[in-house]
mmCIF file of all heavy atoms in Angstrom:
data_model
loop_
_atom_site.group_PDB
_atom_site.id
_atom_site.type_symbol
_atom_site.label_atom_id
_atom_site.label_comp_id
_atom_site.label_asym_id
_atom_site.label_seq_id
_atom_site.Cartn_x
_atom_site.Cartn_y
_atom_site.Cartn_z
ATOM 1 N N GLY A 400 -71.206 -1.255 -2.188
ATOM 2 C CA GLY A 400 -70.394 -1.862 -1.139
ATOM 3 C C GLY A 400 -71.231 -2.084 0.147
ATOM 4 O O GLY A 400 -72.444 -1.846 0.170
ATOM 5 N N ASN A 401 -70.572 -2.531 1.203
ATOM 6 C CA ASN A 401 -71.234 -2.780 2.417
ATOM 7 C C ASN A 401 -71.236 -1.631 3.411
ATOM 8 O O ASN A 401 -72.205 -1.443 4.162
ATOM 9 C CB ASN A 401 -70.621 -3.995 3.151
ATOM 10 C CG ASN A 401 -70.807 -5.360 2.487
ATOM 11 O OD1 ASN A 401 -71.914 -5.591 1.963
ATOM 12 N ND2 ASN A 401 -69.846 -6.169 2.409
ATOM 13 N N PHE A 402 -70.165 -0.805 3.311
ATOM 14 C CA PHE A 402 -70.039 0.177 4.342
ATOM 15 C C PHE A 402 -69.971 1.662 3.786
ATOM 16 O O PHE A 402 -69.842 2.589 4.574
ATOM 17 C CB PHE A 402 -68.750 -0.081 5.129
ATOM 18 C CG PHE A 402 -68.696 -1.409 5.795
ATOM 19 C CD1 PHE A 402 -67.875 -2.365 5.268
ATOM 20 C CD2 PHE A 402 -69.502 -1.746 6.902
ATOM 21 C CE1 PHE A 402 -67.842 -3.648 5.855
ATOM 22 C CE2 PHE A 402 -69.495 -2.968 7.425
ATOM 23 C CZ PHE A 402 -68.663 -3.963 6.984
ATOM 24 N N GLY A 403 -70.086 1.785 2.484
ATOM 25 C CA GLY A 403 -70.128 3.088 1.891
ATOM 26 C C GLY A 403 -68.794 3.738 1.596
ATOM 27 O O GLY A 403 -68.719 4.806 0.967
ATOM 28 N N PHE A 404 -67.652 3.084 2.012
ATOM 29 C CA PHE A 404 -66.337 3.594 1.804
ATOM 30 C C PHE A 404 -66.038 3.842 0.360
ATOM 31 O O PHE A 404 -65.656 4.983 -0.086
ATOM 32 C CB PHE A 404 -65.332 2.704 2.412
ATOM 33 C CG PHE A 404 -63.854 3.161 2.200
ATOM 34 C CD1 PHE A 404 -63.331 4.129 3.049
ATOM 35 C CD2 PHE A 404 -63.084 2.642 1.165
ATOM 36 C CE1 PHE A 404 -62.021 4.578 2.872
ATOM 37 C CE2 PHE A 404 -61.828 3.117 0.995
ATOM 38 C CZ PHE A 404 -61.211 4.089 1.808
ATOM 39 N N TYR A 405 -66.211 2.834 -0.470
ATOM 40 C CA TYR A 405 -65.891 2.961 -1.904
ATOM 41 C C TYR A 405 -67.017 3.687 -2.637
ATOM 42 O O TYR A 405 -66.807 4.468 -3.550
ATOM 43 C CB TYR A 405 -65.714 1.559 -2.536
ATOM 44 C CG TYR A 405 -64.410 0.922 -2.109
ATOM 45 C CD1 TYR A 405 -64.479 -0.182 -1.315
ATOM 46 C CD2 TYR A 405 -63.137 1.431 -2.508
ATOM 47 C CE1 TYR A 405 -63.314 -0.783 -0.869
ATOM 48 C CE2 TYR A 405 -62.000 0.847 -2.157
ATOM 49 C CZ TYR A 405 -62.018 -0.285 -1.285
ATOM 50 O OH TYR A 405 -60.855 -0.892 -0.872
ATOM 51 N N ASP A 406 -68.254 3.563 -2.175
ATOM 52 C CA ASP A 406 -69.323 4.253 -2.886
ATOM 53 C C ASP A 406 -69.216 5.790 -2.716
ATOM 54 O O ASP A 406 -69.551 6.539 -3.603
ATOM 55 C CB ASP A 406 -70.716 3.800 -2.300
ATOM 56 C CG ASP A 406 -71.130 2.422 -2.830
ATOM 57 O OD1 ASP A 406 -71.305 2.229 -4.043
ATOM 58 O OD2 ASP A 406 -71.204 1.519 -1.992
ATOM 59 N N GLN A 407 -68.821 6.183 -1.530
ATOM 60 C CA GLN A 407 -68.659 7.616 -1.352
ATOM 61 C C GLN A 407 -67.588 8.204 -2.263
ATOM 62 O O GLN A 407 -67.724 9.329 -2.704
ATOM 63 C CB GLN A 407 -68.330 7.886 0.156
ATOM 64 C CG GLN A 407 -69.495 7.680 1.119
ATOM 65 C CD GLN A 407 -69.110 7.830 2.565
ATOM 66 O OE1 GLN A 407 -67.924 8.123 2.844
ATOM 67 N NE2 GLN A 407 -70.083 7.678 3.410
ATOM 68 N N ARG A 408 -66.579 7.427 -2.551
ATOM 69 C CA ARG A 408 -65.523 7.872 -3.416
ATOM 70 C C ARG A 408 -65.896 7.761 -4.886
ATOM 71 O O ARG A 408 -65.387 8.466 -5.734
ATOM 72 C CB ARG A 408 -64.217 7.177 -3.115
ATOM 73 C CG ARG A 408 -63.577 7.667 -1.802
ATOM 74 C CD ARG A 408 -62.812 6.661 -1.086
ATOM 75 N NE ARG A 408 -62.295 7.210 0.196
ATOM 76 C CZ ARG A 408 -63.103 7.380 1.254
ATOM 77 N NH1 ARG A 408 -64.345 7.084 1.275
ATOM 78 N NH2 ARG A 408 -62.637 7.909 2.367
ATOM 79 N N ALA A 409 -66.814 6.828 -5.193
ATOM 80 C CA ALA A 409 -67.220 6.562 -6.563
ATOM 81 C C ALA A 409 -68.437 7.401 -6.978
ATOM 82 O O ALA A 409 -68.871 7.329 -8.112
ATOM 83 C CB ALA A 409 -67.450 5.085 -6.796
ATOM 84 N N GLY A 410 -69.039 8.150 -6.023
ATOM 85 C CA GLY A 410 -70.170 8.923 -6.301
ATOM 86 C C GLY A 410 -71.461 8.098 -6.350
ATOM 87 O O GLY A 410 -72.477 8.538 -6.960
ATOM 88 N N SER A 411 -71.477 6.932 -5.691
ATOM 89 C CA SER A 411 -72.632 6.020 -5.840
ATOM 90 C C SER A 411 -73.260 5.727 -4.501
ATOM 91 O O SER A 411 -73.921 4.729 -4.240
ATOM 92 C CB SER A 411 -72.269 4.681 -6.513
ATOM 93 O OG SER A 411 -71.134 4.081 -5.801
ATOM 94 N N TYR A 412 -73.015 6.698 -3.549
ATOM 95 C CA TYR A 412 -73.559 6.451 -2.173
ATOM 96 C C TYR A 412 -74.876 7.115 -1.927
ATOM 97 O O TYR A 412 -75.073 8.285 -2.333
ATOM 98 C CB TYR A 412 -72.525 6.942 -1.101
ATOM 99 C CG TYR A 412 -73.004 6.744 0.309
ATOM 100 C CD1 TYR A 412 -73.100 5.460 0.801
ATOM 101 C CD2 TYR A 412 -73.334 7.818 1.148
ATOM 102 C CE1 TYR A 412 -73.581 5.222 2.120
ATOM 103 C CE2 TYR A 412 -73.776 7.613 2.424
ATOM 104 C CZ TYR A 412 -73.878 6.316 2.896
ATOM 105 O OH TYR A 412 -74.326 6.092 4.220
ATOM 106 N N ALA A 413 -75.783 6.430 -1.335
ATOM 107 C CA ALA A 413 -77.074 6.985 -0.996
ATOM 108 C C ALA A 413 -77.372 6.600 0.491
ATOM 109 O O ALA A 413 -77.455 5.396 0.746
ATOM 110 C CB ALA A 413 -78.216 6.496 -1.905
ATOM 111 N N SER A 414 -77.537 7.541 1.329
ATOM 112 C CA SER A 414 -77.674 7.257 2.767
ATOM 113 C C SER A 414 -79.091 6.938 3.133
ATOM 114 O O SER A 414 -80.093 7.673 2.815
ATOM 115 C CB SER A 414 -77.226 8.518 3.560
ATOM 116 O OG SER A 414 -77.605 8.351 4.922
ATOM 117 N N ALA A 415 -79.247 5.768 3.789
ATOM 118 C CA ALA A 415 -80.634 5.414 4.281
ATOM 119 C C ALA A 415 -81.124 6.403 5.344
ATOM 120 O O ALA A 415 -82.302 6.711 5.456
ATOM 121 C CB ALA A 415 -80.569 4.019 4.817
ATOM 122 N N MET A 416 -80.202 6.870 6.185
ATOM 123 C CA MET A 416 -80.556 7.860 7.193
ATOM 124 C C MET A 416 -81.072 9.149 6.546
ATOM 125 O O MET A 416 -82.055 9.741 7.024
ATOM 126 C CB MET A 416 -79.388 8.112 8.104
ATOM 127 C CG MET A 416 -79.023 6.965 9.049
ATOM 128 S SD MET A 416 -77.776 7.453 10.224
ATOM 129 C CE MET A 416 -77.644 5.902 11.182
ATOM 130 N N GLU A 417 -80.445 9.593 5.465
ATOM 131 C CA GLU A 417 -80.831 10.762 4.778
ATOM 132 C C GLU A 417 -82.276 10.567 4.163
ATOM 133 O O GLU A 417 -83.141 11.477 4.141
ATOM 134 C CB GLU A 417 -79.895 11.101 3.665
ATOM 135 C CG GLU A 417 -80.226 12.333 2.861
ATOM 136 C CD GLU A 417 -80.257 13.649 3.569
ATOM 137 O OE1 GLU A 417 -79.714 13.671 4.731
ATOM 138 O OE2 GLU A 417 -80.868 14.600 3.020
ATOM 139 N N GLN A 418 -82.535 9.346 3.636
ATOM 140 C CA GLN A 418 -83.833 9.029 3.081
ATOM 141 C C GLN A 418 -84.887 9.114 4.185
ATOM 142 O O GLN A 418 -85.994 9.591 3.958
ATOM 143 C CB GLN A 418 -83.827 7.666 2.426
ATOM 144 C CG GLN A 418 -85.116 7.312 1.716
ATOM 145 C CD GLN A 418 -85.444 8.286 0.623
ATOM 146 O OE1 GLN A 418 -84.645 8.618 -0.231
ATOM 147 N NE2 GLN A 418 -86.676 8.753 0.618
#
Side-chain angles (χ1 to χ4, degrees):
N401 290 322
F402 304 108
F404 178 81
Y405 290 111
D406 284 298
Q407 289 175 359
R408 284 150 184 78
S411 55
Y412 181 66
S414 170
M416 289 186 177
E417 178 64 17
Q418 184 61 49

